[in-house]
Amino acid sequence: MSLALLIEQILNGLQFGVMLFLMAAGLTLIFGVMGLINLAHGSLFMIGAFACATVAAATGSFWLGLVASLAAAAAAGALVEILVIRRLYERDHLDQVLATFALILIFSEGTRWVFGSFPLYLDIPQLLSGAVHLPGGAQYPVYRLAVIGVGIAVAIGLYLLIGKTRLGMRIRAGESDREMIGALGIDIGTLYTLVFALGAALAGLAGAMVGALQSVQVGMGEPVLILAFVVIVIGGIGSIKGALIGSVLVGLTETLGRFLLPHLFGLFMPPSDAATVGAALASMLIYIVMALILAFRPRGLFAASA
């Protein structure tokens, strides 16, 4: 095991964690402000990826595709909130789960009807197509570093939005006492739509950036959604800081677990057995970490104040 390979895996874990943060930040905002369990969040991730791939193929510009992913996901999120989600706020969580699960099926089949079952592919833009040299002589793609940079920029932007602006003040108030801000004359319906659209746009941005690293296909958001829920449980529901820390923790645990555990078991097991056992344990490692954290911090690492 070389130093360059270890650094590469750490960077891969950070990049994976940043992508999870873009998903989890929207989820935790939506649940924290609205009290809504949104299983369709992964579908908004998929919409962003398909919008980016379609516009990039039509125009030849990845950057226009990126803008289209934000616009399409935000518009889809706002439309879903107005037409469907708004009727679920007073329902219990079981009704919310059933309704948003139905949205997954509608979005998946609708996307398959429009684009077909074959995957689409996004080319990495020329500006970000190179590689940088790591200590030890290995190379790392510039695009993956750019994804990490975008995630850090979004985290800073969300911190400033939530903590330093009038809209952020209203969002924080909505988390604490939504009836009171409604009584003060703030249009709670518009606030909910804005929050939902913001969360959707972040999911769409994540889908667009990931689409350049893998194929864009129907159902690509559901596996990411499961990990995003793990992130907000670890970080604390309603906490952007918790979403960031939890995302990085999950990304590094997932990536380094799959990389290091087979090497560790290889010290006292045959290579084939070590690879099998290591891969099996690595797939459980995130949930083991989640269970350990919840045993000591039942509300997560940085739960929002009640």
Side-chain angles (χ1 to χ4, degrees):
M1 185 193 310
S2 66
L3 175 62
L5 188 56
L6 180 60
I7 294 174
E8 181 180 357
Q9 295 304 314
I10 291 173
L11 290 173
N12 283 339
L14 287 174
Q15 180 258 307
F16 184 45
V18 160
M19 184 270 296
L20 287 177
F21 169 69
L22 294 176
M23 285 284 288
L27 268 178
T28 201
L29 269 178
I30 290 169
F31 189 87
V33 175
M34 304 176 183
L36 177 82
I37 299 176
N38 179 26
L39 295 186
H41 205 67
S43 297
L44 299 169
F45 175 93
M46 177 186 69
I47 287 173
F50 271 95
C52 185
T54 302
V55 172
T59 64
S61 171
F62 174 83
W63 307 109
L64 288 177
L66 203 59
V67 172
S69 72
L70 288 166
L79 193 62
V80 165
E81 195 279 334
I82 292 170
L83 296 179
V84 180
I85 302 301
R86 192 167 289 184
R87 293 161 173 77
L88 300 174
Y89 294 133
E90 303 303 324
R91 303 288 191 90
D92 60 30
H93 289 321
L94 178 59
D95 289 342
Q96 296 172 359
V97 167
L98 291 174
T100 53
F101 180 74
L103 287 174
I104 294 177
L105 302 179
I106 292 169
F107 277 123
S108 294
E109 294 308 313
T111 303
R112 183 176 286 109
W113 178 68
V114 173
F115 296 100
S117 299
F118 294 101
L120 304 180
Y121 295 93
L122 263 170
D123 293 327
I124 293 175
Q126 186 65 32
L127 180 64
L128 303 176
S129 61
V132 297
H133 293 279
L134 299 177
Q139 293 185 328
Y140 196 76
V142 172
Y143 182 78
R144 289 182 178 269
L145 291 176
V147 171
I148 296 173
V150 168
I152 294 172
V154 169
I156 294 172
L158 284 175
Y159 167 76
L160 295 175
L161 174 67
I162 301 299
K164 306 295 183 180
T165 68
R166 184 175 297 273
L167 175 61
M169 180 179 65
R170 293 177 176 179
I171 290 174
R172 296 197 311 273
E175 290 179 326
S176 302
D177 194 339
R178 68 193 70 179
E179 290 80 10
M180 180 60 70
I181 66 169
L184 292 174
I186 295 172
D187 187 346
I188 192 71
T190 300
L191 178 65
Y192 280 6
T193 302
L194 287 174
V195 170
F196 203 92
L198 174 61
L202 293 176
L205 176 62
M209 293 192 301
V210 170
L213 298 173
Q214 63 185 44
S215 61
V216 176
Q217 55 189 327
V218 175
M220 63 184 291
E222 278 64 59
V224 182
L225 178 68
I226 295 171
L227 292 178
F229 274 115
V230 172
V231 164
I232 64 173
V233 169
I234 289 176
I237 294 173
S239 170
I240 296 297
K241 178 181 178 181
L244 178 60
I245 300 299
S247 296
V248 172
L249 179 61
V250 168
L252 289 174
T253 300
E254 165 81 8
T255 304
L256 292 180
R258 293 186 182 279
F259 172 64
L260 294 176
L261 286 178
H263 288 84
L264 178 63
F265 286 112
L267 297 176
F268 53 88
M269 297 176 66
S272 59
D273 293 341
T276 302
V277 174
L281 185 58
S283 65
M284 298 184 292
L285 195 56
I286 293 173
Y287 304 99
I288 294 173
V289 170
M290 180 179 70
L292 289 174
I293 290 174
L294 292 180
F296 295 97
R297 300 292 296 268
R299 298 180 61 214
L301 294 175
F302 301 97
S305 299

